[in-house]
Amino acid sequence: KSYPPNDTPYYDVYSECCWLFRTALSTKTDLISGTPLERAILWSLASSSSILKCLDFPCNIRVRFHCKEVRKARIFPGDSIVLDDEVSNNIQNLKKNTLYYCDEGQESIQPANNTNDSDLRGQTSHPLGDIFFRTEEGELVVIDATSTPYSKMKKKRADAKLFADLWRTFPPEAVTGLMMIFFNPLENEKPSKVSEECNQLLYVLGDDAREMLGGLVQCMAWYG
């Protein structure tokens, strides 16, 4: 698909995500990082919200978010679910109107507060949140892209529930709420739904996920 005119408000967002997606397909090393599916979701959400100033998810959930920038950041400094002062500060420092992605590659990870924290360099995994952002109301939305079948997502579900439980005991200041989304366009056995175990977790599955991907649904070819 051709680029939009470079004088349109969403040109920078579109072109940045296009570059990230193309890089994910062409890289010959560190294939776990920036998978085509993750970058396709990033591109789709960034482009849509930059125009519509909101994102519509299944189960009649709409969030107000106007993407003006795409950046790399990290919520969790390691590979465990924690909610301490460091994680709380990382969340509070996320800017509105910015869609963040977590890069697992062996390179410098730029924290949301723009400091040069050497402890964040060379991280290879994160427990939750391939993509995340703050809504206009200040809510944190954390999205995990996955091709794991719903029936085998026990570890992911446990991580999400743990984070929700920690959130209730130590909510980050000035953050109005938490919403987690598991996004799987390959799941055809289960419909999209809000989790019965954790009402802060939404499953976007199958047809609903593919519809949100739009033309980028073609990236699923890399998952067989």
Side-chain angles (χ1 to χ4, degrees), residues 27-45:
T27 183
K28 295 182 180 180
T29 59
D30 196 12
L31 297 178
I32 294 175
S33 172
T35 64
L37 178 58
E38 292 173 12
R39 294 299 185 253
I41 295 170
L42 182 79
W43 193 1
S44 177
L45 297 182

Side-chain angles (χ1 to χ4, degrees), residues 22-139:
R22 187 170 57 209
T23 301
L25 296 182
S26 62
T27 183
K28 295 182 180 180
T29 59
D30 196 12
L31 297 178
I32 294 175
S33 172
T35 64
L37 178 58
E38 292 173 12
R39 294 299 185 253
I41 295 170
L42 182 79
W43 193 1
S44 177
L45 297 182
S47 298
S48 177
S49 61
S50 68
I51 299 170
L52 301 176
K53 302 181 182 180
C54 68
L55 289 169
D56 288 326
F57 294 99
C59 304
N60 296 316
I61 295 175
R62 168 175 284 188
V63 296
R64 291 202 307 144
F65 173 67
H66 183 194
C67 181
K68 297 181 180 179
E69 186 178 12
V70 174
R71 297 192 63 186
K72 176 172 58 180
R74 195 175 183 95
I75 294 177
F76 303 100
D79 57 3
S80 301
I81 296 287
V82 294
L83 186 49
D84 52 17
D85 288 333
E86 181 180 6
V87 173
S88 182
N89 287 334
N90 286 342
I91 294 171
Q92 292 176 57
N93 286 321
L94 297 175
K95 300 191 304 179
K96 294 181 181 180
N97 302 319
T98 301
L99 188 61
Y100 293 93
Y101 64 94
C102 186
D103 195 328
E104 298 174 279
Q106 295 291 334
E107 61 185 72
S108 299
I109 302 296
Q110 182 178 0
N113 59 5
N114 294 322
T115 59
N116 293 319
D117 190 341
S118 59
D119 292 339
L120 294 181
R121 296 180 185 273
Q123 296 293 336
T124 58
S125 66
H126 58 280
L128 192 66
D130 301 309
I131 301 166
F132 43 96
F133 62 91
R134 295 275 302 276
T135 68
E136 290 295 322
E137 292 79 13
E139 182 181 35

Side-chain angles (χ1 to χ4, degrees), residues 188-201:
N188 292 312
E189 299 299 321
K190 296 286 185 178
S192 298
K193 65 175 184 177
V194 176
S195 170
E196 298 92 346
E197 303 168 343
C198 175
N199 61 12
Q200 292 167 294
L201 172 60

